[in-house]
Amino acid sequence: KSEDAVFQAKTGRGNRPQHSFLSSSSNVLLKGSDQNKKLYKIDDKRAVENPLTLAQQEGDRCYQEAMEAFAKHEQHLEDIEQQKSQQQYEAMQKAFERRNDNKDEEVQVYQHKASRAAGIAVVKAISKQTRKEASRVTSDKSPSNTEKDFWLQKGRKLLRRAALDFKHKDALVRLGNLSLEEANRQTYEEADIDLSASPSSAVKISLPSYQGNIIIAEDKTMSPIEEALLFFEMGGYYGSPAGWYNLGHLLWNGNHPTLNPDKTNAMYAMHKATELGDADAMFFVGVHKISEGLQMQNGLNLVEQSALKGHSGALYYLALLHLQGDNELGISADVDKFQNFLDRAALEQENPDALFLRSNCLYFGEDNYEQNFREALEGYLKAAELGHADAAVNAGAMYYHGVCEARDLRRAFELYQVGAELGSKEGWKNVAWCYLFGEGVPKCENTANYITRTMLQDGDDSENMAAIENAVQN
């Protein structure tokens, strides 16, 4: 590990910041959780100005009961994942004991601790995979699995009734998410789908395509991806900005082998979401216009409107614009405005990128911030809690070097591991070194080698691999 720790360079210097929240991810939202909000979201607001009709009341009732059923389904998935993780760890323990039956007792005790630590690390790293496996289990007829399927099917039935019988906009958007999940599941099971041989098989759409005149029967013939597109559009038609936004997102990336990217229709959907006041859509359309040099002032206005609604990405974007300045937009570099926008994005909206950048400024004492190690550490830790990999590694480096707090190798290791599991190569490298030299965790060369071979095998990590392998040999 470098004595300068592993602090990352700040994002966005030298270039106009680019939007990055629309990745080519196939994630779908099933619970309306905040961490997936920018991918596929659900409207939570309810119109309270007018009394609900009986049909609206019944639609709301079906929707709420469906959500309760899905919550019970999710709880069963979590129970299955926890059980599998525990079984895997116990299997590792038994394998260790068999390998060490003939070793000295003192050595066994020491290596048992190392094996336990390694086992915990591996179990954490495979948690996402166990969830995928659990979701694909259909043949297991155990009571737990049967109950899980019961709540899932009940939730879907209630959701379809709320969506299709009562045109409940939130139910329609949720149903679109379920259809998209089914489309992705089928793709996984069917392996690669080659569209080059039959390009006509790709799903196409021309917006607007729904005008309140399509009836979905139970014996539907549409594919799941076609259903997802329709349900998102129906949700938008009945007043859900989330429906239009989700449709635009799906079309923009073409997040399915049978769906080609369609920028024109995607922007139509995004503009419809913007008309309904969706902050995410305002941010996306605004950044797109700025990035493409199309009606740039109008784009900046949309970003600013999104920021006024408290959109953390818009606040962070404006912070970077004022840090760098932009002649085409008529923005001069202004560290006071930079700090104002960054503080709002980080402290009010808890944007992880903003928290990370703000902590960098505090750590180095630059860009209008006075050096404050304690506040920098707090920001890194908060960003890490929100899933920022580099922030976790930086916080670990501060504990490793005893910056602000007393040197704590165990805490440093834990944070390196968090960063690693969030996708940081630097985190995996530091975890391997900790195992190799017994820093913050019992020494275990086998674990260090395993991490090096599996997590640091890309070409960019050849130096890291060589350094760790040389250390093991010496």
Side-chain angles (χ1 to χ4, degrees), residues 300-346:
L300 179 60
N301 290 338
L302 286 172
V303 173
E304 290 173 340
Q305 289 179 44
S306 180
L308 288 174
K309 290 176 173 287
H311 191 281
S312 67
L315 289 165
Y316 179 62
Y317 186 90
L318 291 173
L320 294 179
L321 281 179
H322 285 90
L323 174 63
Q324 302 163 191
D326 194 303
N327 292 332
E328 292 181 274
L329 292 172
I331 295 177
S332 301
D334 187 329
V335 291
D336 289 327
K337 290 184 178 180
F338 160 73
Q339 185 175 13
N340 176 266
F341 282 119
L342 188 64
D343 284 349
R344 289 168 60 192

Side-chain angles (χ1 to χ4, degrees), residues 161-170 172 210 214 234 238:
R161 184 159 188 249
L164 303 180
D165 292 351
F166 301 105
K167 304 302 185 289
H168 193 286
K169 62 181 182 179
D170 293 344
L172 283 162
Y210 177 78
I214 297 178
M234 288 176 68
Y238 288 106

Side-chain angles (χ1 to χ4, degrees), residues 327-370:
N327 292 332
E328 292 181 274
L329 292 172
I331 295 177
S332 301
D334 187 329
V335 291
D336 289 327
K337 290 184 178 180
F338 160 73
Q339 185 175 13
N340 176 266
F341 282 119
L342 188 64
D343 284 349
R344 289 168 60 192
L347 304 180
E348 296 177 13
Q349 302 301 325
E350 295 186 343
N351 179 284
D353 289 327
L355 283 163
F356 176 70
L357 176 55
R358 185 174 184 273
S359 290
N360 275 354
C361 292
L362 289 164
Y363 184 89
F364 294 106
E366 59 186 15
D367 295 327
N368 221 35
Y369 287 87
E370 294 183 4

Side-chain angles (χ1 to χ4, degrees), residues 452-453 456-458 461-470:
T452 303
R453 296 290 185 184
L456 300 174
Q457 60 183 346
D458 295 341
D461 298 299
S462 57
E463 293 184 3
N464 292 335
M465 288 184 61
I468 295 174
E469 289 173 350
N470 290 336

Side-chain angles (χ1 to χ4, degrees), residues 161-401:
R161 184 159 188 249
L164 303 180
D165 292 351
F166 301 105
K167 304 302 185 289
H168 193 286
K169 62 181 182 179
D170 293 344
L172 283 162
V173 176
R174 178 78 65 162
L175 200 57
N177 283 323
L178 286 177
S179 296
L180 185 57
E181 182 191 44
E182 176 65 16
N184 290 327
R185 185 191 64 79
Q186 289 183 4
T187 300
Y188 181 90
E189 292 179 349
E190 295 170 4
D192 296 331
I193 299 178
D194 183 10
L195 293 178
S196 60
S198 55
S200 61
S201 63
V203 176
K204 298 178 181 179
I205 185 172
S206 178
L207 297 177
S209 63
Y210 177 78
Q211 298 293 333
N213 57 352
I214 297 178
I215 299 177
I216 308 297
E218 284 296 330
D219 57 344
K220 57 188 182 300
T221 57
M222 289 192 298
S223 68
I225 194 65
E226 290 173 319
E227 277 197 340
L229 293 168
L230 174 61
F231 292 145
F232 286 148
E233 187 180 0
M234 288 176 68
Y237 179 86
Y238 288 106
S240 169
W244 286 121
Y245 178 87
N246 292 356
L247 179 61
H249 178 203
L250 188 56
L251 292 172
W252 185 268
N253 287 318
N255 286 346
H256 191 267
T258 62
L259 185 64
N260 294 324
D262 185 344
K263 308 295 185 184
T264 300
N265 282 306
M267 288 306 298
Y268 174 90
M270 286 293 185
H271 278 288
K272 297 290 286 187
T274 297
E275 292 172 5
L276 292 174
D278 187 84
D280 286 318
M282 289 178 177
F283 178 49
F284 175 77
V285 174
V287 171
H288 174 72
K289 288 186 175 185
I290 294 172
S291 300
E292 297 297 320
L294 305 171
Q295 300 177 313
M296 295 177 65
Q297 285 300 323
N298 177 258
L300 179 60
N301 290 338
L302 286 172
V303 173
E304 290 173 340
Q305 289 179 44
S306 180
L308 288 174
K309 290 176 173 287
H311 191 281
S312 67
L315 289 165
Y316 179 62
Y317 186 90
L318 291 173
L320 294 179
L321 281 179
H322 285 90
L323 174 63
Q324 302 163 191
D326 194 303
N327 292 332
E328 292 181 274
L329 292 172
I331 295 177
S332 301
D334 187 329
V335 291
D336 289 327
K337 290 184 178 180
F338 160 73
Q339 185 175 13
N340 176 266
F341 282 119
L342 188 64
D343 284 349
R344 289 168 60 192
L347 304 180
E348 296 177 13
Q349 302 301 325
E350 295 186 343
N351 179 284
D353 289 327
L355 283 163
F356 176 70
L357 176 55
R358 185 174 184 273
S359 290
N360 275 354
C361 292
L362 289 164
Y363 184 89
F364 294 106
E366 59 186 15
D367 295 327
N368 221 35
Y369 287 87
E370 294 183 4
Q371 192 171 59
N372 188 324
F373 291 139
R374 180 165 297 280
E375 196 171 350
L377 178 60
E378 291 173 356
Y380 285 138
L381 291 172
K382 184 62 179 178
E385 289 177 9
L386 296 170
H388 199 290
D390 292 336
V393 176
N394 283 9
M398 291 186 73
Y399 277 103
Y400 181 86
H401 292 285

